[in-house]
Amino acid sequence: MDWQPEIPRWRQVYALVEERIDSGMYPPGTRLPSAHDLVVETGIGQVTAKRVLRELRQSGLAYMEPGIGTFVARLPEPAEGG
């Protein structure tokens, strides 16, 4: 990754995963990369990778199935009209 030194790395990886969710690359119900996979892909540490997944869950973008993994949450449908 091309790191921006003024932004914490966990936030940059969070933004990467969030972008992939928003773009449909990771549709609802899709298993997200594990902490280990994020370490391998981005070069961040294990603790940082776990923080990214925790923050995704806390923000409502993901949920965890214990022993299985972290998955993209179903996002609310956009409101029609307006």
Side-chain angles (χ1 to χ4, degrees):
M1 283 189 65
D2 188 19
W3 300 112
Q4 298 176 11
E6 67 279 2
I7 302 172
R9 288 191 177 185
W10 77 265
R11 285 190 187 269
Q12 294 178 65
V13 176
Y14 177 101
L16 173 70
V17 176
E18 182 180 38
E19 180 181 305
R20 289 176 178 176
I21 291 170
D22 290 345
S23 74
M25 182 177 175
Y26 296 153
T30 300
R31 184 171 184 245
L32 291 172
S34 67
H36 174 77
D37 293 338
L38 290 174
V39 168
V40 171
E41 179 182 353
T42 65
I44 60 176
Q46 186 78 14
V47 171
T48 304
K50 287 180 180 182
R51 180 171 184 183
V52 170
L53 294 173
R54 183 178 67 244
E55 295 287 342
L56 288 163
R57 291 191 305 270
Q58 288 178 346
S59 70
L61 288 175
Y63 65 93
M64 183 168 53
E65 291 285 335
I68 300 173
T70 301
F71 296 82
V72 178
R74 300 239 177 251
L75 302 177
E77 295 294 321
E80 290 188 29

